[in-house]
Amino acid sequence: MSASADPLATIATTEVRGTKAERADALHDLSVAHVELGHLDVAARFAGRGLRLTGEARFHLTLAWIDLDRGRRRQSLQHLDLATPRLRGKELTRAKCLRGLHLCHEAPLLAIAELTAVIRDLRRHGDARWLANALVGRGIARCSAVKLGQAEADFAAAQAVLTSLAEPGRAAMCLHNRGFVAMLAGDLPLALRRYEEAAKAGLDSTSRPEALVDRAEALLAAGLTAEARNVLAPAMELLRRCKRHVPELAVLSARCALRDGDPGPARRLGGTDVEFLLAAGKLDVVAAHRFRGPAQTRALGWLAQARRSDRRGALAACRAGLRVLDEHRVDWPRRELTGHALGLARTAREVLRWSERHRASVPLPPNDPELAAVMTDLRRAKAFGLPVEALERDVRRLTLASTRRLEATTTSPDLPLVSFIVHEGRMKAVTLVDGRARLRVVPDPDELVRTAKLALHAGRPVTSDLLPDAEEVVVVPDGVLHGMPWASLGRRVHVVPSLRHWRPAGRGGRRVWVGAPGVSSEVVPLWREHGGDLVTPTVEATLRALEGAGVVHIAAHGHVHPVNPLFSHLDLRDGPLYGYDIARIQNPPDVVVLSACESGLARAFLDAGTRAVIASTLAVPDARVAAAMQEVHRRIDHPVEAARAVAHLGFSCYGTGTRVAACSAAAKEVPVHRSCEVPTEAGTSTPGATTSTHAPRPEKSASVPTAVTAGRAAGHHGRSEPPLPAAATTLRPHEARTGGHRSSTV
């Protein structure tokens, strides 16, 4: 079977007419063209007509290829047996190539040997297109044999051959297969990036629905179960129409059900899938995989080992599994490992240590131009009321496919600490004061939050025993306690999503004021009193102004996305400012004041590297907010004190609310303009801004929120910042297949 550079042109211009030999050639060309387009039924009909017309071996060879592509291995081998004795030279080498492809999954080492000899002969014959086929087949076999570096080389070589033949669609298929190699290696971002690049390079997933199966697997690995289902559905329909059998479909469907809490399909399917075996409770079998296979397979093995071991052995197994995931930058099954260890933790320090690991989340994406372009399209669609689901899907995929920013180096707080964690339906609190750790269970935290908010609304003092008897304390909340108005408890409270968000003291910098349409009157008096830059409230102007700023005040109306807080946004003049836009900031502002209704962006700023965010958990009337902000900015050099000044309105300080570094310098007799205790005078910047040029900001944090408390109904007349979302709980990548890609046809 040969290939044509333009199968559509072949179909349009070829007529079955003339002599018997001319009709046979036409039937063969039409059959091959339809194979290349994925029309296997039509291709089989043309090849069958040619076989009945002449009985030539080349038609047996074509039918062998078609049946192999359909998954009908027995029929394919029958055609090969009939064709091989009558083939010579180049055609015989092609038949050997097909036999090698049959061996790729069942006997990969034998397939590698067979195809290596075939590749040598095809190069000798100068048969470039079938050389690409053989290289792809050997790449598949090497994937099955877990020789991933060599598989990558084969797919890259095939891609180069097909590019030289001006066949971009088949070259894109090779690029897609290179993404599959990355998936097997545990590099999910690279796999998704190559899948995206292959689709843009001309990969036709309608003729190669196996590519959709791979994409669905990657989405499932990234924790996007609903999107994986959405991709699997058309893949299943296309494969049904093509009469192709892909066993991975049933496996992926069962994995989706397992992610949704339904182990039934996985148990019925059975087999040797490691995840299914773990769901079935076959711990001994799964534990045997902890020393071999892809990273996620080994991590599952360590999880099984933890579940079958005593406490000491289980904790050691959890640590070993996490080391595997850290080494390969893989997330799933991280929370399963940390959750199991957290259930075994006995002492307060053990609970604190494992709860911090349990809060781990993936980092924000870098400032990627392609992602920025999609965000612009999303903003335009949102502004004009157009559908946004597909664009949001593109944003999530590009985020997963991007190279992650490195995690910042942070310092530990030298203050009393309270860390809360919800595990197995109970809220636990670890209090660390003067080196002494204490563990307790918090009863009915929902009622505590409800009572605190009611007291604030009624103007009454808020009382609670959640905090230790200390003037200043660091709080790491979890669950419903993200909605607690912490500053109203009468202390200096620094609320951080995790201890990784505790950052060194800032050094001040210029002030930036952003007032969106409808609330711009709030920022003008503040700008006149404190000076700085009054920014045009557009997205790009705001993002430019935020770079390297000291203090940023944003007054706007906003909305919380119910699933992904990075799609939460503020309404600016030209459209929404999303959490994903915040991720584009390379040098984040030091302190941010969010005077915004339901923006959901406090955590996004903290993840991006901002030191402190002042925001409210309550809806506050605009008039009261405007008056309160005057007092906030008189104390903004000490953010936690600024939050205390408006604690009665539900504001708290999220992040590290310590004084700016200029104040510490003053304490050490380093000359500064004036003490931080003196309120900022009209027309001046923060005290920190009067010192020397501020140092570079810390590296951006490596945490992305994936869960958020649902926002209030739109249309209220106040503005509030909803509680910080819990640490990532939905991104749970699973292992990649250990088999190779099914699409060998190029």
Side-chain angles (χ1 to χ4, degrees):
M1 191 180 85
S2 61
S4 60
D6 189 348
L8 289 174
T10 299
I11 294 170
T13 59
T14 302
E15 296 183 7
V16 183
R17 57 188 300 181
T19 66
K20 182 177 180 180
E22 289 172 341
R23 282 181 285 151
D25 288 341
L27 289 169
H28 187 263
D29 290 345
L30 288 170
S31 177
V32 171
H34 281 287
V35 167
E36 292 168 0
L37 293 175
H39 307 156
L40 298 187
D41 283 346
V42 179
R45 286 199 295 271
F46 279 117
R49 285 176 59 186
L51 184 61
R52 290 190 297 272
L53 179 67
T54 65
E56 292 177 359
R58 59 173 172 167
F59 290 107
H60 279 298
L61 189 61
T62 302
L63 287 167
W65 184 276
I66 293 170
D67 283 333
L68 175 61
D69 230 16
R70 282 170 155 177
R72 300 167 61 181
R73 298 172 55 82
R74 183 177 59 82
Q75 292 89 333
S76 176
L77 288 170
Q78 287 175 350
H79 283 294
L80 277 178
D81 290 340
L82 292 170
T84 301
R86 302 181 319 187
L87 295 174
R88 297 291 183 273
K90 183 191 298 186
E91 295 295 330
L92 179 59
T93 303
R94 292 175 175 180
K96 291 179 180 178
C97 179
L98 282 179
R99 289 194 183 275
L101 295 178
H102 272 279
L103 297 170
C104 284
H105 295 293
E106 295 182 356
L109 296 178
L110 182 58
I112 293 169
E114 291 282 342
L115 290 170
T116 298
V118 167
I119 288 168
R120 183 175 59 249
D121 291 341
L122 288 169
R123 285 187 171 130
R124 180 167 53 84
H125 289 301
D127 193 351
R129 290 189 177 92
W130 273 78
L131 172 62
N133 291 340
L135 286 168
V136 170
R138 191 171 68 175
I140 293 171
R142 283 173 166 170
C143 283
S144 297
V146 200
K147 298 178 182 292
L148 301 184
Q150 294 174 330
E152 160 72 17
D154 278 338
F155 291 137
Q159 183 181 352
V161 170
L162 291 165
T163 300
S164 69
L165 293 173
E167 298 196 21
R170 298 179 185 81
M173 189 72 241
C174 294
L175 178 57
H176 179 94
N177 283 353
R178 293 175 64 193
F180 182 77
V181 174
M183 184 79 176
L184 288 179
D187 193 341
L188 179 61
L190 178 59
L192 284 164
R193 187 160 63 250
R194 284 180 172 169
Y195 289 164
E196 292 289 336
E197 291 170 355
K200 292 174 183 175
L203 175 62
D204 182 9
S205 57
T206 58
S207 63
R208 288 293 160 200
E210 295 89 348
L212 293 176
V213 177
D214 287 340
R215 185 178 290 261
E217 182 175 30
L219 292 170
L220 187 60
L224 303 176
T225 305
E227 292 193 7
R229 288 186 183 276
N230 290 338
V231 174
L232 275 179
M236 294 174 70
E237 178 60 23
L238 287 168
L239 288 166
R240 184 189 64 78
R241 291 178 185 174
C242 297
K243 296 185 179 179
R244 297 188 203 175
H245 175 60
V246 178
E248 287 83 359
L249 277 177
V251 174
L252 286 176
S253 296
R255 281 180 176 164
C256 287
L258 197 56
R259 292 290 188 277
D260 291 334
D262 179 13
R267 290 172 179 168
R268 289 192 296 272
L269 196 61
T272 59
D273 184 272
V274 176
E275 190 176 347
F276 294 175
L277 292 171
L278 185 64
K282 298 180 179 180
L283 301 181
D284 293 342
V285 177
V286 179
H289 289 271
R290 63 190 186 277
F291 297 115
R292 64 177 185 271
Q296 289 165 326
T297 298
R298 284 181 280 149
L300 284 171
W302 284 114
L303 178 59
Q305 177 71 6
R307 290 179 179 176
R308 69 174 187 167
S309 302
D310 59 16
R311 179 179 177 277
R312 182 177 179 181
L315 292 175
C318 290
R319 286 191 290 268
L322 291 173
R323 282 195 297 271
V324 171
L325 298 179
D326 290 339
E327 178 184 352
H328 294 273
R329 297 183 182 180
V330 178
D331 284 311
W332 192 83
R334 183 181 302 275
R335 283 184 62 82
E336 282 72 12
L337 288 163
T338 55
H340 187 77
L342 193 57
L344 297 173
R346 291 178 180 173
T347 68
R349 291 186 184 275
E350 279 186 333
V351 172
L352 177 61
R353 183 165 55 252
W354 283 108
S355 64
E356 278 300 301
R357 302 200 74 170
H358 198 58
R359 299 181 210 273
S361 58
V362 297
L364 290 172
N367 188 7
D368 180 68
E370 188 174 2
L371 178 60
V374 176
M375 290 303 303
T376 299
D377 292 339
L378 174 61
R379 196 165 6 261
R380 187 179 298 113
K382 192 81 173 179
F384 286 97
L386 301 175
V388 298
E389 291 79 7
L391 290 168
E392 288 184 349
R393 219 165 27 241
D394 289 341
V395 170
R396 283 194 290 269
R397 283 201 296 265
L398 287 171
T399 301
L400 290 168
S402 61
T403 303
R404 307 299 188 192
R405 294 196 293 245
L406 298 177
E407 187 170 346
T409 301
T410 58
T411 58
S412 299
D414 187 20
L415 291 169
L417 167 72
V418 184
S419 175
F420 299 92
I421 189 72
V422 178
H423 184 63
E424 296 179 347
R426 292 197 303 171
M427 175 79 74
K428 296 180 181 179
V430 176
T431 304
L432 187 62
V433 180
D434 296 329
R436 294 185 177 182
R438 184 169 68 96
L439 176 65
R440 64 192 178 99
V441 175
V442 179
D444 202 358
D446 298 82
E447 179 62 21
L448 293 175
V449 174
R450 190 182 69 84
T451 301
K453 289 185 174 182
L454 286 175
L456 279 183
H457 280 301
R460 299 193 306 268
V462 179
T463 59
S464 174
D465 62 350
L466 289 174
L467 301 181
D469 187 14
E471 178 60 26
E472 193 163 5
V473 63
V474 177
V475 171
V476 186
D478 197 18
V480 68
L481 291 184
H482 284 294
M484 174 66 75
W486 292 102
S488 66
L489 299 184
R491 322 284 171 83
R492 294 192 184 105
V493 183
H494 310 259
V495 186
V496 292
S498 73
L499 294 180
R500 294 183 305 281
H501 288 79
W502 186 263
R503 296 186 170 90
R507 294 182 177 273
R510 72 183 190 282
R511 296 197 185 210
V512 172
W513 310 92
V514 182
V519 289
S520 58
S521 59
E522 176 183 317
V523 301
V524 173
L526 294 168
W527 168 63
R528 288 172 177 164
E529 178 176 352
H530 299 282
D533 300 333
L534 186 62
V535 178
T536 302
T538 63
V539 172
E540 291 302 324
T542 298
L543 291 176
R544 284 195 299 270
L546 292 179
E547 288 283 351
V551 176
V552 172
H553 182 108
I554 303 177
H557 293 290
H559 308 274
V560 173
H561 193 280
V563 177
N564 185 348
L566 289 180
F567 282 126
S568 299
H569 61 273
L570 297 168
D571 289 332
L572 298 185
R573 178 183 296 174
D574 59 341
L577 173 71
Y578 289 98
Y580 283 106
D581 292 312
I582 304 302
R584 297 166 52 192
I585 303 174
Q586 299 299 302
N587 192 14
D590 188 49
V591 178
V592 174
V593 180
L594 286 178
S595 180
C597 74
E598 297 187 330
S599 74
L601 297 184
R603 175 69 185 264
F605 274 106
L606 293 178
D607 286 338
T610 293
R611 182 171 65 96
V613 179
I614 297 174
S616 177
T617 61
L618 301 179
V620 184
D622 290 349
R624 296 186 68 189
V625 170
M629 288 302 118
Q630 295 286 351
E631 186 64 23
V632 167
H633 283 281
R634 292 189 184 102
R635 307 186 185 197
I636 199 63
D637 58 279
H638 198 173
V640 75
E641 276 293 330
R644 281 186 81 182
V646 285
H648 60 290
L649 298 178
F651 282 88
S652 293
C653 177
Y654 299 96
T656 310
T658 54
R659 297 178 188 275
V660 295
C663 300
S664 299
K668 297 178 182 177
E669 299 182 353
V670 177
V672 293
H673 188 68
R674 58 182 174 276
S675 170
C676 285
E677 297 296 334
V678 180
T680 306
E681 297 176 0
T684 65
S685 181
T686 60
T690 63
T691 63
S692 59
T693 304
H694 60 271
R697 305 291 178 205
E699 288 285 337
K700 299 187 181 182
S701 171
S703 298
V704 172
T706 59
V708 67
T709 303
R712 300 174 184 85
H716 67 76
H717 300 290
R719 284 172 285 159
S720 70
E721 172 68 22
L724 286 174
T729 58
T730 60
L731 290 181
R732 298 172 43 186
H734 68 81
E735 66 172 29
R737 294 192 303 275
T738 56
H741 191 280
R742 300 156 305 283
S743 297
S744 58
T745 303
V746 293

